[in-house]
């Protein structure tokens, strides 16, 4: 019984680490938007790119060749007001985030 519980625990921990690693890898090579309210859906499309949201509410999408300000505004349109937006791990400053949130409705 103890072996089964230990194995189950190990598998659960591995899956959690894998999920964290995929969000971290998306943050390194793409966009991460953190909405003020938890998103209604776990994924959505911005133009032709799939964004996925984790259990904490952060949503990650692949970096596009377009303008990062436009990507932020499009994410805000889908998610509502954002409390943070990161491009390749770098956060938007307060002024850029405020401009981005102007498009949220």
């Amino acid at each position: 019984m103890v072996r089964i519980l230990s194995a189950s625990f190990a598998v659960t921990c591995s899956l959690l680490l894998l999920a964290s690693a995929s969000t971290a890898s998306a943050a390194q090579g793409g966009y991460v938007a953190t909405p003020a309210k938890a998103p209604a859906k776990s994924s959505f499309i911005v133009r032709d790119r799939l964004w996925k949201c984790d259990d904490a509410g952060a949503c990650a999408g692949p970096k596009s060749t377009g303008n990062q300000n436009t990507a932020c505004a499009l994410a805000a349109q889908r998610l509502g007001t954002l409390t943070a937006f990161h491009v390749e791990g770098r956060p938007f400053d307060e002024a850029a985030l405020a401009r981005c949130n102007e498009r949220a409705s």
Side-chain angles (χ1 to χ4, degrees), residues 2 6 9 11 17 19-20 42 45-46 52 58 60 89 96:
V2 173
S6 295
F9 180 74
V11 169
L17 287 173
S20 297
S42 63
I45 302 286
V46 172
K52 293 186 178 183

Side-chain angles (χ1 to χ4, degrees), residues 10-78:
V11 169
T12 301
C13 289
S14 297
L15 291 173
L16 289 173
L17 287 173
L18 182 61
S20 297
S22 66
T23 301
S25 115
Q28 294 299 320
Y31 304 121
V32 177
T34 306
K37 294 181 182 177
K41 296 183 178 181
S42 63
S43 65
F44 59 95
I45 302 286
V46 172
R47 295 201 171 149
D48 63 344
R49 310 233 179 227
L50 178 66
W51 287 58
K52 293 186 178 183
C53 304
D54 63 19
D55 291 338
C59 301
K63 190 168 185 303
S64 66
T65 58
N67 184 296
Q68 62 191 16
N69 295 315
T70 302
C72 183
L74 291 170
Q77 284 179 341
R78 292 290 207 153

